[in-house]
Amino acid sequence: MTSTTFQAGSPIKIAILAMGGQGGGVLADWIVDMAEHAKWWAQTTSVPGVAQRTGATIYYVEMLPESDVEAAGRPPALAMMPTPGDVDLVVAAELMEGGRAIQRGLVTPDRSTLISSSHRSYAVGEKSARGNGIADSNKVIETGQAAAKRFICVDLQALADQAGSVISASLFGAVAGSGTLPFTREDFEETIRRGGVGVEASLRAFALGLEAAANAPAEPARVSTEKPSPEVPETASHPRIRKLLDDLRQNFPAAAQPMLVAGLRRTVDFQDPAYGAKYIDHVRALRKLDEQYGGQAKNWALTTAAARYVAVAMAYDDVIRVADLKTRAARFERVRGEVGAKADQLLYTTEYMHPRVEELCGTMPAPLGRWVENSKFASGLLGRFCRKGRFLQSGTLTGFLMLYALAGMRRFRRSTLRHRIELKSFEAWLRLIEETAPVDYDLAVEIVNCRRLVKGYSDTHERGESKYQRLIAAAADLRGRPEAAQRLRELREAALADDKGTKLDTMLAQELKLAA
Amino acid sequence: MAERSFKKEVQQLRIAPGEEFRGEGILAVTKGLLQSGVSYVAGYQGAPISHLMDVLSDAQDILEDLGVHFEASASEATAAATLAASVMYPVRGAVTWKSTVGTNVASDALANLASGGVKGGALVIVGEDYGEGSSIMQERTHAFAMKSQIWLLDPRPNLESMVDAVEHGFQLSEASNTPVILQLRIRSCHVHGRFITKENKRPEYTLAQALDNPERDVSRIVLPPASFLHEHEKVNSRWPAAVEFIKQNKLNEFIDGDLSDIGLILQGGLYNGVIRALQLLGLADHFGNSRIPLYIMNVTYPVIDDEVAEFCRGKKAVLMLEEGQPNYIEQNIATILRQKGVDAALEGKGVLPIAGEYTTAVMRDGLQAFLEKHHPESLPVIDAPAPEPLAPSAAATATATATATMPAIEEDGDLAIEEDHPANGHAAHANGAPTVIPRVQPMQVDQVARKPSVQPINFQRQVSELAQVVPPRPAGFCTGCPERPVFSALSLAQEKLGEHHIACDIGCHLFSILPPFNLGATTMGYGLGASSAAAFNVPSSKRSISIMGDGGFWHNGLASGIGNAVFNKYDGVIIIIDNFYAAATGGQDILSSRAANKSRSTNNPIVDAVKGVGVKWVRVLDRTYSVSKVQAAIEEALTTPEKGPKVIIAQSECMLNKQRRLKPQFRAAVKEGKRVVKERFGVDPDVCTGDHACIRLSGCPSLTIKDSGDPLKEDPIAHVDNTCVGCGNCGEVAHAAVLCPSFYRADLIHNPTQWDLFKAKVRQRVIGLLQSRRSQRLNQYSF
């Protein structure tokens, strides 16, 4: 009988999860190079291929001391892929990739250190959702805490940006800072130097990553998804605004005040203080209704929802507002910051605008606008201008003056066709809320929230508006039926499922059948 | 110009004999070719073989120094036919491609080659794109080897074994007058490892010598009656010669183990995984010492009957580890055992999954099942409760919940275990010594075997909940990709004219099938976009649309797609996407590339070829980013009364390559103080309303979302991040689809001229004045 002799020596196993372009391969190569220079036997492999085109992939490294190899007298047989439950160090270049590592079983509480950058790079599914499709980061953070022996979760992308480098360098730093590999800081830094590309920036990012990982809290902080609500200021400099603010503070429930502040700011910014006063009055009417039908017990749900959507409805998106926003000094500054323009560089922006006949008519005085819309000849003539998208250079005199003049039409806004149209829809909405609240308070709140669908411009606006109208019609039908609010909420979610509202229509048809 | 440069790495091909080579598997294979005195190399790129082609391309000088001819073939069929040079002459040739797709394309030539046989060594190196990350149908090259009788090598996945396989491959081919396929798995191609080199050899017989002394031998040509004789030759002389060579040179390996009444038979390529699986069960170490005897088939076809019988004789049971299906080898071995009267039980796809990748975990579980059945005493005793019932998604990751004790291995009597290795630096070095498993008795199973959960009970549930959170990341078009606007335009055209039947093709453009575009119904093979719509050539209210890339076009689409459409008076629309490179495979040059390539002829326009085969209706769009123009062309093609194929050639340079080309030039210009303009796009956050229609029509990685920071806006808004390359697609889409006015292009002028500065000053004065007027009005109301 033969005998079997086992040799001592067990590799350190490292899995790196990265998306295409994040430099996962660079990181793996660095680790291998560092190990080999420190007299370790290292192997890495990966499955690049299409995964590199925006997909995600795993790089896998194993290494063991060459002294073990010498003692064994033969080269090691290292694995080509990570085995769930058998990985010492998992490095994820993005938070959801960290989640994927846990999902794949690579992270185990008895063994694995998990280093994950806490930043998010949204997947196409999250980005293309009609509402908010962003996945819950805290689920990954909580699970990482349970799944890993040690979980280091810091924003390594931000640190890389700060250093003017790429995330592979800050990840390499975090690996060093985690203390999971038996190499010194010099070993790490020498590896970067040997690479010879962008050395200084890489070393800066490395140092930041190392620092962050070494000082990372034992329990990573949760990501706050709460929107910070505006503070309610004590006072304002302009007397009219001060009066409105006092009114707001004295006559409205505290729960609704922050949203009212945001709404007041928006409506004043959109038009003028008088318009802001009108806004407060509209919400006041709904607040009264709220009180009358038990809002106090429901934390003033109706008033709070109304504070948001009355403002959104009143400060609709029109050409005048767009021109105004695009010509402001603050906007010019913001763009400079966004593209990182230096003082000695010039910056010009070109605006992509594609108004339709409806938008042009909307800015005309109502009777004229209506006439043009109804006249085949006139709208045809205008239509010619609207066939193509326009490029406007907002930094040149012609472009700027055009937009500036358009923004100046604010003072005539109340008489435009668009304002009439918006007003009509707005009033109908308010009436429906007023009629519904006495019958079904919760349904009334949902009706307020349906306004979420009306947004955007041109085609987008039209699609949203048409879905909104369908919802509002359904809301009127639902009144008096059991669980009407719940039904309407479901319908609203269905409306966000696709562009044309196909799912909404299907559900509406079912609703009709139920009613019959 | 390929995506990745190997200029630095290929210098390793010159290192002196006896020195250690360190690098990627594919580079080692190239070294192996040079060590074998190869005369010519050809191939067609495709993962994981792209790197090999790129390496060869970058090693052109070294190849020339050695007198080796290298060609980038038009297709895998071309590459396979190139091996015809070794039929009459003693020249060694190697060709390479991605399998099984490339082997499908090459099979006609391969079958002819195998029938007549070869005189010089003919080696086909295939990159088996199978398992995780694969982009193709999951099939086996093995079937091709069997049907054409070509020997198949599947070496252990380390550099030394792979280089040996190259050298032995040529010898085997010559010894048996049969072409040989060397199959490399995807991870082996990219594995970083080391081996000791030998000297590079010049070819013993060159192609020039062959041309100067032409030979012909009718008996080697596939025509009756020779072809009937070939079939007999194959089994009567070539097969036995191959078996003899394989046995004599010990290409397959036998590893002894103390559990000698059982055994494992495995494909060489699975070796490292099998060793790890055994190690996890406490039955092997990390150096390939196994308690169970192994028969490693570095040659997976032909199966050597004697070796199999010798290995299995006297054993209770053997397990065949064979990846992929059908289980050709297992069937073969069953026949051998039966015919040779060996009564060892044969296990294979019964304890292992029939299909799918044989990952370490899969093989560990299979081995465990095998041992439970045939040698349970060799397994660690698990004396713990049954695993927690889990949600299906978590089940894959969960394993036995147990801490158990290994049976004292010494009880087996003949197992020597090296005692705890003295602190060898590893343990002393490592913080918390992450992985050192001291070799002391008794071993804890959880140190070596399947990881039991010392996890909180709720952990697995949490993991299964992650499935709802962690989003899939389908591959998609790169930032600034010129193909994206074509599909945006196609989406918009369909919105207007209704949904159409769309036939897709292989290439980057196939990402149109995935979100956010969700376009396309079929993909039948490289360059077969137009062909796969051929049947839809009947009168209808809607024409069919097919897509083809420039790579596919030259691979075979010109004849099989365009030529076929002209000949059959096909009335549909064919969109050819010309991005100046074979982009999906890594940006290699092709006939129509615009780059100047000193060793190839480029700049041969697709439109000339299309017109040359008789297409009358052709539209060339030289800027795909003009979404509305592309849309108009598509709409025209779909509605024109003109009959016959409507071909639209949409051309713009692959952005990945363009950036690689332009970025250094731009940086240099800035440094030199030249006036240069950098463009990028942005979204005005206060104008954007968060509907994301722009994202649904674009899908650019740099077009993302962020929190609005506005309490009135519930939904996140669109945002262009710093990776934007300023292609302008998002703005064009917003224009064409009449979306919203929130997009802007920012032109950043580096090193402005005096005139620029003067204009800016004047503008700033007027604009600044008007802006401050308006800010004043707003500021007085601010609170």
Short mmCIF file of all heavy atoms in Angstrom, two decimals, chain A residues 237-281:
data_model
loop_
_atom_site.label_atom_id
_atom_site.label_comp_id
_atom_site.label_asym_id
_atom_site.label_seq_id
_atom_site.Cartn_x
_atom_site.Cartn_y
_atom_site.Cartn_z
N SER A 237 -36.03 88.98 5.92
CA SER A 237 -35.72 90.42 5.84
C SER A 237 -36.84 91.21 5.16
O SER A 237 -37.15 92.32 5.57
CB SER A 237 -34.39 90.62 5.13
OG SER A 237 -34.41 89.93 3.91
N HIS A 238 -37.44 90.63 4.15
CA HIS A 238 -38.49 91.35 3.44
C HIS A 238 -39.79 91.32 4.26
O HIS A 238 -40.20 90.25 4.71
CB HIS A 238 -38.71 90.72 2.07
CG HIS A 238 -39.47 91.59 1.13
ND1 HIS A 238 -40.83 91.66 1.14
CD2 HIS A 238 -39.05 92.45 0.16
CE1 HIS A 238 -41.23 92.53 0.20
NE2 HIS A 238 -40.16 93.01 -0.40
N PRO A 239 -40.42 92.48 4.44
CA PRO A 239 -41.61 92.51 5.32
C PRO A 239 -42.74 91.58 4.86
O PRO A 239 -43.38 90.91 5.67
CB PRO A 239 -42.04 93.97 5.28
CG PRO A 239 -41.25 94.64 4.21
CD PRO A 239 -40.04 93.82 3.98
N ARG A 240 -42.96 91.50 3.56
CA ARG A 240 -44.08 90.66 3.08
C ARG A 240 -43.78 89.19 3.38
O ARG A 240 -44.68 88.43 3.75
CB ARG A 240 -44.29 90.84 1.59
CG ARG A 240 -44.93 92.19 1.27
CD ARG A 240 -45.37 92.24 -0.16
NE ARG A 240 -46.52 91.39 -0.42
CZ ARG A 240 -47.09 91.29 -1.62
NH1 ARG A 240 -46.60 91.96 -2.65
NH2 ARG A 240 -48.13 90.49 -1.79
N ILE A 241 -42.54 88.84 3.16
CA ILE A 241 -42.15 87.44 3.41
C ILE A 241 -42.23 87.16 4.91
O ILE A 241 -42.71 86.10 5.33
CB ILE A 241 -40.72 87.16 2.90
CG1 ILE A 241 -40.61 87.47 1.39
CG2 ILE A 241 -40.28 85.74 3.20
CD1 ILE A 241 -41.33 86.50 0.50
N ARG A 242 -41.79 88.17 5.69
CA ARG A 242 -41.82 87.98 7.14
C ARG A 242 -43.25 87.69 7.60
O ARG A 242 -43.51 86.81 8.40
CB ARG A 242 -41.28 89.24 7.83
CG ARG A 242 -40.77 88.97 9.23
CD ARG A 242 -40.24 90.23 9.88
NE ARG A 242 -39.34 90.96 9.01
CZ ARG A 242 -39.34 92.30 8.88
NH1 ARG A 242 -40.20 93.04 9.55
NH2 ARG A 242 -38.49 92.89 8.07
N LYS A 243 -44.19 88.42 7.01
CA LYS A 243 -45.59 88.25 7.38
C LYS A 243 -46.07 86.82 7.05
O LYS A 243 -46.73 86.16 7.85
CB LYS A 243 -46.44 89.28 6.60
CG LYS A 243 -47.59 89.82 7.42
CD LYS A 243 -48.36 90.86 6.64
CE LYS A 243 -49.78 90.37 6.44
NZ LYS A 243 -50.38 90.79 5.19
N LEU A 244 -45.69 86.39 5.87
CA LEU A 244 -46.09 85.03 5.44
C LEU A 244 -45.47 83.98 6.36
O LEU A 244 -46.12 83.00 6.73
CB LEU A 244 -45.64 84.78 4.00
CG LEU A 244 -46.41 85.53 2.91
CD1 LEU A 244 -45.72 85.37 1.56
CD2 LEU A 244 -47.84 85.01 2.85
N LEU A 245 -44.23 84.24 6.72
CA LEU A 245 -43.52 83.29 7.57
C LEU A 245 -44.17 83.22 8.95
O LEU A 245 -44.36 82.13 9.51
CB LEU A 245 -42.05 83.73 7.68
CG LEU A 245 -41.07 82.71 8.22
CD1 LEU A 245 -41.05 81.46 7.35
CD2 LEU A 245 -39.66 83.30 8.28
N ASP A 246 -44.53 84.38 9.49
CA ASP A 246 -45.20 84.41 10.80
C ASP A 246 -46.52 83.64 10.73
O ASP A 246 -46.85 82.85 11.61
CB ASP A 246 -45.46 85.87 11.21
CG ASP A 246 -44.16 86.58 11.56
OD1 ASP A 246 -43.15 85.87 11.77
OD2 ASP A 246 -44.15 87.83 11.61
N ASP A 247 -47.23 83.87 9.66
CA ASP A 247 -48.50 83.19 9.43
C ASP A 247 -48.28 81.67 9.45
O ASP A 247 -48.98 80.93 10.16
CB ASP A 247 -49.03 83.66 8.06
CG ASP A 247 -50.35 83.01 7.70
OD1 ASP A 247 -50.94 82.34 8.57
OD2 ASP A 247 -50.80 83.16 6.54
N LEU A 248 -47.26 81.28 8.72
CA LEU A 248 -46.93 79.87 8.60
C LEU A 248 -46.61 79.27 9.97
O LEU A 248 -47.05 78.17 10.31
CB LEU A 248 -45.73 79.79 7.65
CG LEU A 248 -45.14 78.50 7.13
CD1 LEU A 248 -44.33 78.81 5.88
CD2 LEU A 248 -44.27 77.82 8.15
N ARG A 249 -45.81 79.99 10.74
CA ARG A 249 -45.38 79.48 12.03
C ARG A 249 -46.51 79.44 13.05
O ARG A 249 -46.55 78.56 13.91
CB ARG A 249 -44.24 80.33 12.58
CG ARG A 249 -42.94 80.17 11.79
CD ARG A 249 -42.01 81.34 12.01
NE ARG A 249 -41.66 81.45 13.41
CZ ARG A 249 -40.62 80.82 13.95
NH1 ARG A 249 -39.83 80.11 13.19
NH2 ARG A 249 -40.37 80.91 15.22
N GLN A 250 -47.43 80.40 12.93
CA GLN A 250 -48.48 80.48 13.94
C GLN A 250 -49.69 79.59 13.62
O GLN A 250 -50.31 79.02 14.50
CB GLN A 250 -48.95 81.93 14.10
CG GLN A 250 -47.97 82.76 14.91
CD GLN A 250 -48.07 84.23 14.56
OE1 GLN A 250 -49.10 84.70 14.06
NE2 GLN A 250 -47.00 84.97 14.81
N ASN A 251 -49.99 79.50 12.33
CA ASN A 251 -51.28 78.89 11.99
C ASN A 251 -51.21 77.50 11.38
O ASN A 251 -52.23 76.98 10.94
CB ASN A 251 -52.05 79.83 11.04
CG ASN A 251 -52.26 81.19 11.68
OD1 ASN A 251 -52.51 81.27 12.88
ND2 ASN A 251 -52.06 82.24 10.90
N PHE A 252 -50.02 76.95 11.34
CA PHE A 252 -49.95 75.61 10.74
C PHE A 252 -49.27 74.64 11.71
O PHE A 252 -48.42 75.04 12.50
CB PHE A 252 -49.17 75.67 9.42
CG PHE A 252 -49.95 76.33 8.31
CD1 PHE A 252 -49.90 77.71 8.15
CD2 PHE A 252 -50.75 75.57 7.47
CE1 PHE A 252 -50.63 78.32 7.14
CE2 PHE A 252 -51.47 76.18 6.46
CZ PHE A 252 -51.42 77.56 6.29
N PRO A 253 -49.67 73.37 11.63
CA PRO A 253 -49.08 72.39 12.54
C PRO A 253 -47.57 72.25 12.29
O PRO A 253 -47.12 72.37 11.15
CB PRO A 253 -49.80 71.09 12.18
CG PRO A 253 -50.45 71.32 10.87
CD PRO A 253 -50.70 72.78 10.76
N ALA A 254 -46.84 71.99 13.35
CA ALA A 254 -45.37 71.91 13.27
C ALA A 254 -44.93 70.87 12.25
O ALA A 254 -43.93 71.05 11.55
CB ALA A 254 -44.79 71.60 14.64
N ALA A 255 -45.69 69.77 12.14
CA ALA A 255 -45.29 68.67 11.24
C ALA A 255 -45.22 69.15 9.80
O ALA A 255 -44.41 68.66 9.01
CB ALA A 255 -46.28 67.52 11.36
N ALA A 256 -46.08 70.10 9.46
CA ALA A 256 -46.15 70.52 8.06
C ALA A 256 -45.26 71.72 7.76
O ALA A 256 -45.06 72.07 6.60
CB ALA A 256 -47.59 70.84 7.70
N GLN A 257 -44.74 72.34 8.81
CA GLN A 257 -44.04 73.61 8.60
C GLN A 257 -42.79 73.52 7.71
O GLN A 257 -42.63 74.35 6.81
CB GLN A 257 -43.68 74.25 9.96
CG GLN A 257 -44.89 74.91 10.58
CD GLN A 257 -44.56 75.62 11.88
OE1 GLN A 257 -43.40 75.82 12.21
NE2 GLN A 257 -45.60 75.98 12.63
N PRO A 258 -41.91 72.52 7.89
CA PRO A 258 -40.73 72.47 7.02
C PRO A 258 -41.11 72.40 5.55
O PRO A 258 -40.54 73.09 4.71
CB PRO A 258 -40.02 71.18 7.46
CG PRO A 258 -40.48 70.95 8.85
CD PRO A 258 -41.88 71.46 8.92
N MET A 259 -42.10 71.56 5.22
CA MET A 259 -42.51 71.43 3.82
C MET A 259 -43.14 72.73 3.33
O MET A 259 -42.98 73.12 2.17
CB MET A 259 -43.49 70.27 3.70
CG MET A 259 -43.61 69.71 2.30
SD MET A 259 -42.03 69.22 1.58
CE MET A 259 -41.90 67.56 2.20
N LEU A 260 -43.83 73.41 4.25
CA LEU A 260 -44.43 74.70 3.88
C LEU A 260 -43.35 75.73 3.56
O LEU A 260 -43.51 76.55 2.66
CB LEU A 260 -45.32 75.21 5.02
CG LEU A 260 -46.76 74.70 4.99
CD1 LEU A 260 -47.40 74.82 6.35
CD2 LEU A 260 -47.58 75.46 3.95
N VAL A 261 -42.27 75.68 4.31
CA VAL A 261 -41.16 76.60 4.05
C VAL A 261 -40.62 76.34 2.64
O VAL A 261 -40.43 77.27 1.84
CB VAL A 261 -40.04 76.43 5.10
CG1 VAL A 261 -38.77 77.16 4.66
CG2 VAL A 261 -40.51 76.94 6.45
N ALA A 262 -40.42 75.03 2.32
CA ALA A 262 -39.92 74.68 0.99
C ALA A 262 -40.90 75.14 -0.08
O ALA A 262 -40.51 75.70 -1.12
CB ALA A 262 -39.70 73.18 0.90
N GLY A 263 -42.18 74.95 0.18
CA GLY A 263 -43.21 75.32 -0.78
C GLY A 263 -43.28 76.83 -0.98
O GLY A 263 -43.41 77.32 -2.11
N LEU A 264 -43.16 77.54 0.13
CA LEU A 264 -43.23 79.00 0.04
C LEU A 264 -42.04 79.54 -0.75
O LEU A 264 -42.18 80.41 -1.60
CB LEU A 264 -43.26 79.60 1.46
CG LEU A 264 -43.37 81.12 1.54
CD1 LEU A 264 -44.66 81.61 0.88
CD2 LEU A 264 -43.35 81.60 2.99
N ARG A 265 -40.88 78.97 -0.47
CA ARG A 265 -39.69 79.40 -1.20
C ARG A 265 -39.88 79.17 -2.70
O ARG A 265 -39.56 80.01 -3.52
CB ARG A 265 -38.46 78.60 -0.73
CG ARG A 265 -37.87 79.16 0.53
CD ARG A 265 -36.58 78.44 0.90
NE ARG A 265 -36.09 78.96 2.16
CZ ARG A 265 -35.59 78.21 3.15
NH1 ARG A 265 -35.49 76.90 2.99
NH2 ARG A 265 -35.18 78.77 4.26
N ARG A 266 -40.40 77.97 -3.02
CA ARG A 266 -40.57 77.64 -4.42
C ARG A 266 -41.55 78.58 -5.12
O ARG A 266 -41.29 79.08 -6.21
CB ARG A 266 -41.04 76.18 -4.57
CG ARG A 266 -41.45 75.75 -5.97
CD ARG A 266 -40.30 75.77 -6.95
NE ARG A 266 -39.13 75.08 -6.43
CZ ARG A 266 -38.95 73.75 -6.51
NH1 ARG A 266 -39.83 73.01 -7.13
NH2 ARG A 266 -37.90 73.19 -6.00
N THR A 267 -42.67 78.87 -4.49
CA THR A 267 -43.70 79.67 -5.16
C THR A 267 -43.26 81.13 -5.29
O THR A 267 -43.54 81.77 -6.30
CB THR A 267 -45.04 79.56 -4.42
OG1 THR A 267 -44.81 79.61 -3.01
CG2 THR A 267 -45.75 78.27 -4.76
N VAL A 268 -42.56 81.63 -4.28
CA VAL A 268 -42.07 83.01 -4.38
C VAL A 268 -41.00 83.09 -5.47
O VAL A 268 -40.99 84.02 -6.28
CB VAL A 268 -41.48 83.48 -3.02
CG1 VAL A 268 -40.81 84.84 -3.17
CG2 VAL A 268 -42.58 83.57 -1.98
N ASP A 269 -40.14 82.12 -5.49
CA ASP A 269 -39.09 82.06 -6.49
C ASP A 269 -39.68 81.93 -7.89
O ASP A 269 -39.21 82.50 -8.84
CB ASP A 269 -38.19 80.85 -6.18
CG ASP A 269 -37.00 80.76 -7.09
OD1 ASP A 269 -37.12 80.19 -8.21
OD2 ASP A 269 -35.94 81.25 -6.70
N PHE A 270 -40.76 81.19 -7.97
CA PHE A 270 -41.42 80.93 -9.26
C PHE A 270 -42.09 82.20 -9.79
O PHE A 270 -42.03 82.51 -10.97
CB PHE A 270 -42.46 79.84 -9.06
CG PHE A 270 -43.23 79.46 -10.29
CD1 PHE A 270 -42.67 78.64 -11.26
CD2 PHE A 270 -44.54 79.92 -10.48
CE1 PHE A 270 -43.38 78.27 -12.38
CE2 PHE A 270 -45.25 79.55 -11.62
CZ PHE A 270 -44.67 78.73 -12.57
N GLN A 271 -42.74 82.96 -8.86
CA GLN A 271 -43.49 84.12 -9.33
C GLN A 271 -43.16 85.35 -8.49
O GLN A 271 -42.33 86.15 -8.84
CB GLN A 271 -45.00 83.79 -9.30
CG GLN A 271 -45.88 84.78 -10.00
CD GLN A 271 -45.54 84.93 -11.49
OE1 GLN A 271 -45.12 83.98 -12.13
NE2 GLN A 271 -45.69 86.14 -12.00
N ASP A 272 -43.82 85.50 -7.34
CA ASP A 272 -43.59 86.66 -6.48
C ASP A 272 -44.23 86.41 -5.12
O ASP A 272 -44.90 85.41 -4.92
CB ASP A 272 -44.15 87.92 -7.14
CG ASP A 272 -45.57 87.71 -7.63
OD1 ASP A 272 -46.33 86.96 -6.98
OD2 ASP A 272 -45.94 88.26 -8.68
N PRO A 273 -44.06 87.32 -4.16
CA PRO A 273 -44.63 87.10 -2.82
C PRO A 273 -46.14 86.92 -2.84
O PRO A 273 -46.69 86.14 -2.06
CB PRO A 273 -44.22 88.37 -2.07
CG PRO A 273 -42.98 88.82 -2.74
CD PRO A 273 -43.17 88.50 -4.19
N ALA A 274 -46.81 87.61 -3.76
CA ALA A 274 -48.28 87.47 -3.81
C ALA A 274 -48.66 86.03 -4.13
O ALA A 274 -49.61 85.46 -3.57
CB ALA A 274 -48.84 88.40 -4.87
N TYR A 275 -47.89 85.43 -5.03
CA TYR A 275 -48.14 84.04 -5.42
C TYR A 275 -47.88 83.13 -4.22
O TYR A 275 -48.62 82.17 -3.98
CB TYR A 275 -47.22 83.68 -6.58
CG TYR A 275 -47.70 82.55 -7.46
CD1 TYR A 275 -48.90 82.67 -8.17
CD2 TYR A 275 -46.96 81.39 -7.61
CE1 TYR A 275 -49.33 81.65 -9.00
CE2 TYR A 275 -47.38 80.36 -8.43
CZ TYR A 275 -48.57 80.49 -9.13
OH TYR A 275 -49.00 79.47 -9.95
N GLY A 276 -46.84 83.48 -3.44
CA GLY A 276 -46.52 82.73 -2.23
C GLY A 276 -47.68 82.81 -1.24
O GLY A 276 -48.04 81.82 -0.60
N ALA A 277 -48.25 84.00 -1.13
CA ALA A 277 -49.38 84.19 -0.21
C ALA A 277 -50.56 83.32 -0.64
O ALA A 277 -51.25 82.71 0.18
CB ALA A 277 -49.78 85.65 -0.18
N LYS A 278 -50.73 83.24 -1.96
CA LYS A 278 -51.82 82.43 -2.49
C LYS A 278 -51.59 80.95 -2.13
O LYS A 278 -52.53 80.23 -1.78
CB LYS A 278 -51.86 82.58 -4.00
CG LYS A 278 -53.25 82.49 -4.56
CD LYS A 278 -53.29 83.04 -5.95
CE LYS A 278 -54.73 83.32 -6.33
NZ LYS A 278 -54.81 83.89 -7.65
N TYR A 279 -50.35 80.59 -2.21
CA TYR A 279 -49.98 79.21 -1.87
C TYR A 279 -50.37 78.91 -0.43
O TYR A 279 -51.02 77.91 -0.13
CB TYR A 279 -48.48 79.01 -2.09
CG TYR A 279 -47.87 77.82 -1.38
CD1 TYR A 279 -48.15 76.52 -1.79
CD2 TYR A 279 -47.02 78.00 -0.28
CE1 TYR A 279 -47.59 75.43 -1.13
CE2 TYR A 279 -46.47 76.92 0.38
CZ TYR A 279 -46.75 75.64 -0.04
OH TYR A 279 -46.21 74.56 0.63
N ILE A 280 -49.97 79.82 0.47
CA ILE A 280 -50.29 79.62 1.89
C ILE A 280 -51.81 79.52 2.07
O ILE A 280 -52.29 78.67 2.82
CB ILE A 280 -49.71 80.79 2.73
CG1 ILE A 280 -48.17 80.81 2.63
CG2 ILE A 280 -50.17 80.71 4.17
CD1 ILE A 280 -47.46 79.73 3.42
N ASP A 281 -52.53 80.34 1.34
CA ASP A 281 -53.99 80.31 1.48
C ASP A 281 -54.59 78.97 1.04
O ASP A 281 -55.49 78.44 1.67
CB ASP A 281 -54.62 81.45 0.67
CG ASP A 281 -54.34 82.80 1.34
OD1 ASP A 281 -53.97 82.78 2.54
OD2 ASP A 281 -54.47 83.84 0.67
#
